[in-house]
Amino acid sequence: MALTNSQYEAIIKEYERTRDYNRQLLESRRQQVYGSVPGYLELEESVSEVASAAARLMLEGDDTAQDTLKTRLSEISQKRARLLSDAGFSSDYLEPIYTCPDCQDTGYVAGENGLKEKCRCFRQQELSLRYAQSNIQDMIRRENFSTLSYEYYQNEDLQHFKAAVTLCKDFTENFKEGYRNLFFYGTVGTGKSFLSGCIACELLQAGFSVIYFSASGLFDRLARYAFDTRSREALQDFYEDLYQCDLLIIDDLGTEVTNSFVTSQLFACLNERSLRRKSTIISTNLSLEELRDRYSDRIFSRITSKFSLCKLTGPDIRIYRKRMANTAPVQDEIGIADAASAGAR
């Protein structure tokens, strides 16, 4: 499922807009520094003068000119850094700004063979276009660590949720370091999907590729490709994306119509991602006993041995919020709506 020309052009234009925006931001920073830090502009202008003088000396045969130039440029750089620091700016305040430092907002990086290859950020945009993943962008705007709230939990439920948050933050902070999987299970509406969204938000911002599917959506798509002989190539491309993305999120496992096709596809997905050491997050309202009874022993064994199990308990937060909204005074409705953005699915 290669990108169409229009899709490719749309991605490239987005990179162009990003570079333009960052250049304008850097220029506004320069003007801010020039206007508020006495002597900084003069130091910057002196760089070209020093370089020109060194070039003349080199043409005249001065063997020490290049070393002298390096020393003078280093001194100027140190003076500029001190001026910025004394004025309350960070030392890198006037460094080039990149939304993606890996590719410097071009979409491409140098591969091991020296040839250009698509950056992680380009890869994520491809996935978003191919699999209509705009829903994940909506999800992470609502569901991220900055909107997280403990107010809906009490006693043992609160302890479970705090432990889950700690596990999720450790998962994201150490994502580069090793291969890990998470399995969220428990009662309805206790924060399983919310925590998946928190992780997705952090990893997308860090440049990793993430694919999110509801269980029913994933297996519907697989069935559509698998049973349509004309879609054989599309199925192979889909498998590659499914197996190779940095993080796959399967939400609400157990809501799909479970049959032998679903069971075989789920095991193949988990097994292949394990072999490739690609992380997976699964959330479900099923208990471990129900998981074992509904799916094969192989799947149950794979999940319980390869995933960190995280149980969440408590009342359905969505129902709780709705009840509170219906009973709250009219003047408090805005505050409740704001607090609700930190809720869980």
Side-chain angles (χ1 to χ4, degrees):
M1 290 182 293
L3 293 175
T4 64
N5 288 337
S6 60
Q7 288 174 325
Y8 179 82
E9 290 171 1
I11 291 176
I12 294 302
K13 286 182 180 178
E14 184 60 32
Y15 278 116
E16 291 174 355
R17 284 192 288 269
T18 298
R19 291 196 299 272
D20 287 342
Y21 173 81
N22 287 336
R23 279 194 292 264
Q24 291 171 9
L25 177 58
L26 180 59
E27 182 57 31
S28 68
R29 288 184 176 186
R30 283 200 187 97
Q31 296 307 318
Q32 179 189 13
V33 169
Y34 294 162
S36 61
V37 182
Y40 192 92
L41 177 59
E42 289 76 6
L43 275 176
E44 281 218 331
E45 291 175 340
S46 70
V47 170
S48 59
E49 296 173 3
V50 170
S52 297
R56 286 194 298 271
L57 291 174
M58 282 187 276
L59 289 173
E60 293 170 2
D62 188 336
D63 295 334
T64 66
Q66 191 166 6
D67 290 336
T68 302
L69 173 62
K70 290 180 180 179
T71 301
R72 289 287 294 119
L73 291 179
S74 177
E75 291 172 350
I76 292 172
S77 179
Q78 291 173 15
K79 288 180 181 178
R80 287 188 299 185
R82 281 198 300 272
L83 286 177
L84 285 176
S85 177
D86 292 344
F89 296 101
S90 62
S91 59
D92 63 349
Y93 191 68
L94 294 184
E95 293 296 317
I97 300 170
Y98 300 114
T99 301
C100 178
D102 291 342
C103 67
Q104 298 185 350
D105 300 332
T106 64
Y108 287 87
V109 294
E112 294 180 359
N113 56 5
L115 300 176
K116 287 187 177 181
E117 60 183 37
K118 292 174 182 175
C119 184
R120 288 178 183 270
C121 60
F122 193 110
R123 175 77 171 148
Q124 181 60 42
Q125 292 192 67
E126 279 189 306
L127 296 175
S128 298
L129 284 172
R130 285 214 285 259
Y131 304 120
Q133 295 282 284
S134 59
N135 58 339
I136 199 173
Q137 298 298 332
D138 295 334
M139 181 177 73
I140 64 178
R141 274 192 288 271
R142 302 188 309 270
E143 302 171 358
N144 53 72
F145 287 126
S146 67
T147 63
L148 184 147
S149 173
Y150 296 104
E151 67 176 293
Y152 305 109
Y153 303 88
Q154 295 180 350
N155 304 322
E156 187 177 0
D157 301 333
L158 178 59
Q159 294 176 14
H160 286 162
F161 188 68
K162 284 185 174 180
V165 172
T166 299
L167 179 65
C168 292
K169 289 184 175 180
D170 182 68
F171 181 89
T172 57
E173 290 168 4
N174 297 289
F175 191 77
K176 279 185 177 181
E177 308 306 319
Y179 159 69
R180 297 172 64 188
N181 305 297
L182 297 179
F183 183 79
F184 297 116
Y185 71 105
T187 50
V188 175
T190 49
K192 299 181 294 295
S193 298
F194 175 83
L195 291 177
S196 297
C198 290
I199 292 173
C201 179
E202 294 294 311
L203 295 185
L204 285 169
Q205 290 177 351
F208 293 101
S209 57
V210 179
I211 296 183
Y212 166 90
F213 275 111
S214 67
S216 57
L218 172 61
F219 296 117
D220 283 349
R221 184 181 287 268
L222 281 168
R224 192 162 64 247
Y225 287 146
F227 298 117
D228 183 353
T229 56
R230 295 169 299 180
S231 300
R232 190 176 304 276
E233 182 179 347
L235 178 61
Q236 294 305 313
D237 289 342
F238 180 59
Y239 277 138
E240 185 59 25
D241 290 336
L242 199 65
Y243 298 157
Q244 193 58 31
C245 65
D246 296 318
L247 176 66
L248 171 65
I249 298 175
I250 304 176
D251 197 23
D252 280 338
L253 184 69
T255 56
E256 78 287 350
V257 176
T258 307
N259 51 37
S260 58
F261 172 81
V262 166
T263 300
S264 64
Q265 292 295 316
L266 178 58
F267 178 78
C269 179
L270 297 181
N271 186 58
E272 186 63 32
R273 287 187 63 80
S274 177
L275 291 174
R276 300 189 187 198
R277 300 186 65 79
K278 296 295 184 179
S279 296
T280 304
I281 294 177
I282 297 176
S283 69
T284 182
N285 295 328
L286 300 175
S287 66
L288 292 181
E289 292 77 12
E290 290 170 326
L291 178 75
R292 181 189 57 208
D293 294 342
R294 182 181 289 241
Y295 302 98
S296 68
D297 289 339
R298 291 193 305 170
I299 290 175
F300 181 76
S301 175
R302 182 57 54 93
I303 289 176
T304 53
S305 64
K306 297 290 186 181
F307 285 66
S308 296
L309 305 183
C310 187
K311 184 177 182 179
L312 295 174
T313 58
D316 188 331
I317 292 172
R318 289 166 296 189
I319 295 177
Y320 175 82
R321 289 204 310 260
K322 185 175 181 180
R323 186 187 304 125
M324 293 298 293
N326 289 337
T327 58
V330 173
Q331 62 267 28
D332 291 337
E333 288 182 359
I334 294 176
I336 290 173
D338 291 339
S341 66
R345 288 192 288 148

